[in-house]
Amino acid sequence: MASPNSSDLSPHFLLASLPGLESTRFWMATLLCFIYLLAVTGNCAVLCIVRLEPGLHAPMYLFLCMLAAIDLALSTCTVPRVLSCYWFNSREISFSACLAQMFFIHTLSAIESTVLLAMAVDRYVAICHPLRHPAILTNAATARIGLLATARGVLFFLPLPLLLQPLPFCSSRVLSHSFCLHQDVMNLACASTTPSVVYGLTAILLVMGLDALLICLSYLLILKAVLGLPSWKERLKVFSTCVAHICVVLAFYVPLIGLSVVHRFGKDLAPVVHITMGHVYILVPAVLNPIIYGVRTKQIQRRILSLIHINSNRTAQ
């Protein structure tokens, strides 16, 4: 058997392109760039507004800032490289750069999952134990949760590139996505990947799987408390405080599950399906999260309208 990476003194992979759509690749990349800029603008706006609005200096909106920062990092570590692939046909990515990108994608996704769980716990405490909420979820506690989420993501997903590092990649180097994911890279190895398969599945179940289960449990307890209220008007008013978070959870987990299903059962699907699902997984949460909370939060709406008014006055002058 060939030694690790012996077939190439400079190991590399080829990012997936859009097969059969070469003539429209430029316009597809332009659309992708527009969506990326929309995500960057929206998440930067959330960070700035929460910082400038004292009324938003509360755990739920500090968690929202964490989501914005994660989405910015996740989209920025992938989309520019994808645009380079589409616009300049620069498909080659080095082995080390691919492993680094893979680590950041999975680690940031794990951190986002943990923050979503923390937001669910925040809603549970606010609704089921409102008198204890200010004492339990302080801003300092929120910051510690953010650090814990980061440490958890790094510790669970750092082994993924380390397990792939010594493997030989002697056959096809063409990925099925326009960026590097663990399962995608692992499938190109020409040696046993059992340790990597077992650890990858374990990490996903212990992070995203456990988080999703605990989020569902939190909302079952919230639903039980809401149904105990005397009137439907009160029930709807209380539960409406959870709507934005539920939408954000769905925006994260639905593309994640969709991508997993495509990897597991979609081997016979057209390559464009894999590429599209990858883009959805990276960009949909980054685009939707600021919009969801912008629609649901009056302070964010007022600040945005104020900034628009100020900019329009400057333009008029």
Side-chain angles (χ1 to χ4, degrees):
M1 180 179 292
S3 60
N5 302 320
S6 62
S7 63
D8 195 339
L9 296 177
S10 179
H12 65 276
F13 294 100
L14 291 177
L15 301 174
S17 185
L18 293 168
L21 298 174
E22 284 77 8
S23 59
T24 61
R25 190 169 57 190
F26 176 85
W27 300 111
M28 293 286 289
T30 302
L31 176 61
L32 190 64
C33 181
F34 172 77
I35 296 173
Y36 170 64
L37 292 176
L38 185 64
V40 170
T41 303
N43 286 288
C44 286
V46 166
L47 291 171
C48 293
I49 290 169
V50 173
R51 181 177 181 274
L52 295 173
E53 188 68 44
L56 297 179
H57 294 175
M60 177 56 73
Y61 298 105
L62 295 180
F63 286 135
L64 179 58
C65 284
M66 294 180 194
L67 287 184
I70 293 166
D71 288 336
L72 280 171
L74 185 57
S75 57
T76 300
C77 77
T78 53
V79 177
R81 187 66 187 81
V82 174
L83 294 178
S84 175
C85 174
Y86 288 172
W87 274 334
F88 308 112
N89 201 28
S90 176
R91 297 178 58 194
E92 187 174 301
I93 183 171
S94 70
F95 183 66
S96 57
C98 188
L99 292 186
Q101 186 185 61
M102 181 188 74
F103 165 73
F104 282 115
I105 290 173
H106 291 289
T107 299
L108 290 167
S109 297
I111 298 171
E112 183 158 358
S113 177
T114 307
V115 172
L116 290 174
L117 172 60
M119 295 173 80
V121 173
D122 174 82
R123 290 297 84 207
Y124 163 73
V125 175
I127 292 172
C128 300
H129 304 282
L131 297 179
R132 298 174 59 189
H133 181 262
I136 295 174
L137 281 163
T138 62
N139 288 350
T142 303
R144 287 194 292 270
I145 291 172
L147 292 174
L148 180 62
T150 303
R152 183 186 186 219
V154 171
L155 289 174
F156 268 95
F157 288 94
L158 179 59
L160 293 186
L162 298 180
L163 287 169
L164 292 179
Q165 177 71 37
L167 294 179
F169 293 88
C170 311
S171 56
S172 171
R173 299 284 181 90
V174 181
L175 298 169
S176 59
H177 295 288
S178 302
F179 45 83
C180 298
L181 292 174
H182 173 252
Q183 188 172 353
D184 199 14
V185 175
M186 179 183 66
N187 288 340
L188 298 181
C190 56
S192 174
T193 58
T194 300
S196 194
V197 170
V198 172
Y199 184 82
L201 180 60
T202 302
I204 290 290
L205 291 177
L206 289 179
V207 180
M208 284 76 159
L210 181 60
D211 289 350
L213 183 63
L214 292 175
I215 289 171
C216 291
L217 177 61
S218 297
Y219 274 103
L220 286 175
L221 295 173
I222 289 172
L223 188 60
K224 180 181 177 181
V226 169
L227 292 177
L229 296 174
S231 69
W232 278 104
K233 187 175 181 180
E234 289 182 65
R235 295 172 190 174
L236 291 174
K237 182 178 179 181
V238 172
F239 197 74
S240 67
T241 63
C242 301
V243 171
H245 179 252
I246 292 173
C247 292
V248 168
V249 168
L250 292 175
F252 175 77
Y253 280 103
V254 170
L256 175 64
I257 294 170
L259 187 64
S260 300
V261 169
V262 166
H263 268 296
R264 179 67 181 85
F265 302 106
K267 294 181 180 179
D268 296 328
L269 293 175
V272 69
V273 176
H274 291 266
I275 295 172
T276 302
M277 281 303 304
H279 294 164
V280 168
Y281 170 65
I282 292 295
L283 285 172
V284 163
V287 172
L288 289 185
N289 290 353
I291 295 174
I292 291 168
Y293 272 95
V295 170
R296 296 290 306 175
T297 308
K298 293 181 179 179
Q299 294 98 318
I300 293 179
Q301 292 176 17
R302 285 199 300 266
R303 179 64 71 166
I304 291 174
L305 292 174
S306 175
L307 291 173
I308 293 174
H309 180 68
I310 291 171
N311 289 331
S312 64
N313 287 342
R314 288 177 178 174
T315 303
Q317 290 175 0

